[in-house]
């Protein structure tokens, strides 16, 4: 019933979002999620999948000129 989204590129400000967001599909409302563990740098174009009560994030692009990431992070998500 929920869609979890990490980061993304913000065209209006030419910046990257470092937050983890949740969209409740029934209520049609966004909220920010609290996470624990190593937090990846803000990025876009990455892959993200649910993994054992968290979100596994791999790769993407960040920074000026869209530098490529090849790192992996597991974000532990508080119950949503």
């Amino acid at each position: 019933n929920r869609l979890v989204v990490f980061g993304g590129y913000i065209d209006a400000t030419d910046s990257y979002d470092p937050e983890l967001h949740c969209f409740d599909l029934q209520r049609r409302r966004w909220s920010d999620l609290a996470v624990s563990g190593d937090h990846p740098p803000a990025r876009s174009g990455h892959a993200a999948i649910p993994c054992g009560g968290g979100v596994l994030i791999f790769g993407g692009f960040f920074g000026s000129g869209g530098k490529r990431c090849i790192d992996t992070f597991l974000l532990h998500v508080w119950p949503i």
Side-chain angles (χ1 to χ4, degrees), residues 53-79:
V55 178
L56 183 66
I57 295 174
F58 171 75
F61 301 91
F62 74 100
S64 177
K67 297 174 187 158
R68 187 177 204 170
C69 306
I70 56 169
D71 51 2
T72 303
F73 288 87
L74 178 60
L75 299 178
H76 302 281
V77 181
W78 296 111

Side-chain angles (χ1 to χ4, degrees), residues 18-73:
E19 303 298 324
L20 188 65
H21 308 280
C22 179
F23 184 71
D24 186 311
L25 298 169
Q26 292 178 339
R27 295 181 182 158
R28 297 185 178 265
R29 292 187 183 162
W30 285 99
S31 60
D32 291 333
L33 296 177
V35 298
S36 62
D38 288 335
H39 201 280
R43 63 187 63 205
S44 68
H46 53 279
I49 60 169
C51 182
V55 178
L56 183 66
I57 295 174
F58 171 75
F61 301 91
F62 74 100
S64 177
K67 297 174 187 158
R68 187 177 204 170
C69 306
I70 56 169
D71 51 2
T72 303
F73 288 87

